[in-house]
Amino acid sequence: MPTNAPAAAHALKDVAASDSTLRRFLHGLPGVDAVGLEARAASLGTRSIKTTAKAYAIDLAISMVDLTTLEGADTPGKVRALGAKAVRPDPTDRSTPSTAAVCVYPDMVATAKEAVAGTSVKVASVATAFPAGRAALSVKLADVRDAVAAGADEIDMVIDRGAFLAGNYMKVYDEITAVKEVCGAGARLKVIFETGELSTYDNIRRASWLGMLAGADFIKTSTGKVAVNATPANTLLMLEAVRDFRAQTGIQVGVKPAGGIRTSKDAIKFLVLVNETAGEDWLDNHWFRFGASSLLNDLLMQRQKLATGRYSGPDYVTVD
């Protein structure tokens, strides 16, 4: 299976040789047919699946969740409880898969690592002055170093949307490559575009390619902190980008929609998008994630409904 590699190693390395070549490449990408994109996303969202496939899809979705708490009121106790839930989402059913990761602020990484020690659950940390990204590069890199030093397996960075929207693509590229260098070999890098602030689908396509050219291991829709977060259409567009990027470079990049995905029905629609657009190679939590907090509860409720034929009471799942 193709994997990620340093930006300089891939077939498009010369694209970022200068600001002008990078701009020429990004603005030379095909324009997005907004009507067609949204129609295809809506059409794929109507696909129905059989009960056996639904059970598989729910377990797959559970295994893809980055169980997230990113609040100013986060405490070590809350993070430990979240870690326990990530490891064993349903304490009454050991067949329930663990989630992919727990996602926390850098100062909570050490606590999260202790909570999931000895398990497959990763610890992801938002960094680079999340969620606005408004800080000097030195501050952003210090944020990343702290998280990596505390044991973060993954870093979720935010791009400088102001620089991107001003057309300063090389600044965004250089920041991503600098963060990637600090991550080293031990932490995978997810690059957040905040698609709700990028205004157009063309910008989302350009941001996707920019992130991948700079060495992102994942491209991610949103912080979950703005009005418009992950949608089927913007996720479909990003899935097309990673598919086409692999076709040109041999490098596989993951996708993470985040924010606003709250129900099993929604999650399954996104899995259909993955299968029909990027393909089966992305139907694995190494390459696709859901950034979510409340989604897991609904997945657990629907999982028990399939197993028993009835919904549990309101105390069946913990309230995050």
Side-chain angles (χ1 to χ4, degrees):
M1 179 182 294
T3 58
N4 211 317
H10 61 60
L12 297 175
K13 63 182 184 300
D14 293 336
V15 165
S18 70
D19 183 70
S20 60
T21 57
L22 182 58
R23 177 182 303 278
R24 190 178 309 119
F25 176 84
L26 294 177
H27 283 266
L29 293 169
V32 179
D33 174 1
V35 174
L37 178 74
E38 292 173 359
R40 176 162 172 75
S43 173
L44 291 173
T46 64
R47 297 279 179 89
S48 61
I49 61 175
K50 297 179 179 178
T51 301
T52 52
K54 185 177 181 181
Y56 168 77
I58 287 174
D59 276 7
L60 182 60
I62 291 171
S63 77
M64 291 173 165
V65 169
D66 280 3
L67 194 57
T68 303
T69 183
L70 298 170
E71 303 299 333
D74 287 343
T75 64
K78 181 179 180 181
V79 171
R80 282 191 288 269
L82 203 69
K85 183 172 181 177
V87 172
R88 190 169 294 170
D90 183 354
T92 70
D93 185 351
R94 290 178 175 269
S95 70
T96 308
S98 298
T99 70
V102 172
C103 186
V104 295
Y105 277 114
D107 65 321
M108 289 293 175
V109 168
T111 300
K113 286 291 286 188
E114 291 174 2
V116 302
T119 75
S120 63
V121 178
K122 306 296 184 185
V123 173
S125 178
V126 297
T128 63
F130 179 95
R134 309 305 304 183
L137 179 58
S138 59
V139 174
K140 295 179 181 181
L141 296 181
D143 207 20
V144 176
R145 287 191 190 96
D146 285 348
V148 172
D153 303 295
E154 301 168 357
I155 295 295
D156 290 34
M157 74 166 285
V158 288
I159 67 166
D160 183 337
R161 279 88 75 192
F164 180 88
L165 291 170
N168 195 348
Y169 302 131
M170 188 56 73
K171 179 181 180 183
V172 179
Y173 178 92
D174 287 343
E175 287 199 351
I176 297 171
T177 57
V179 172
K180 175 74 171 176
E181 184 176 355
V182 173
C183 288
R188 299 178 79 202
L189 176 62
K190 307 192 195 89
V191 177
I192 310 169
F193 304 136
E194 201 68 284
T195 51
E197 294 184 347
L198 296 187
S199 302
T200 69
Y201 288 129
D202 285 339
N203 275 341
I204 295 172
R205 174 169 281 171
R206 289 170 189 146
S208 297
W209 280 85
L210 178 58
M212 294 186 293
L213 289 167
D217 297 294
F218 265 80
I219 53 176
K220 177 178 172 181
T221 62
S222 328
T223 62
K225 301 295 186 181
V226 298
V228 178
N229 293 290
T231 68
N234 62 35
T235 303
L236 172 58
L237 183 56
M238 291 166 65
L239 287 165
E240 290 176 346
V242 297
R243 176 199 65 197
D244 296 344
F245 186 77
R246 190 178 79 168
Q248 290 197 41
T249 66
I251 298 168
Q252 187 161 336
V253 176
V255 176
K256 179 179 173 179
I261 305 170
R262 297 184 176 88
T263 69
S264 299
K265 185 177 181 180
D266 288 339
I268 290 171
K269 287 180 180 179
F270 277 84
L271 293 180
V272 171
L273 288 179
V274 175
N275 188 62
E276 296 297 320
T277 306
E280 291 185 7
D281 285 350
W282 273 266
L283 284 175
D284 182 281
N285 69 10
H286 195 71
W287 300 114
F288 192 79
R289 300 282 182 84
F290 293 106
S293 53
S294 60
L295 171 62
L296 180 58
N297 287 346
D298 192 69
L299 288 167
L300 294 173
M301 296 284 282
Q302 296 299 328
R303 189 179 194 274
Q304 202 217 27
K305 171 67 162 54
L306 286 177
T308 66
R310 59 183 176 80
Y311 287 107
S312 296
D315 58 350
Y316 174 66
V317 295
T318 59
V319 178
D320 297 326

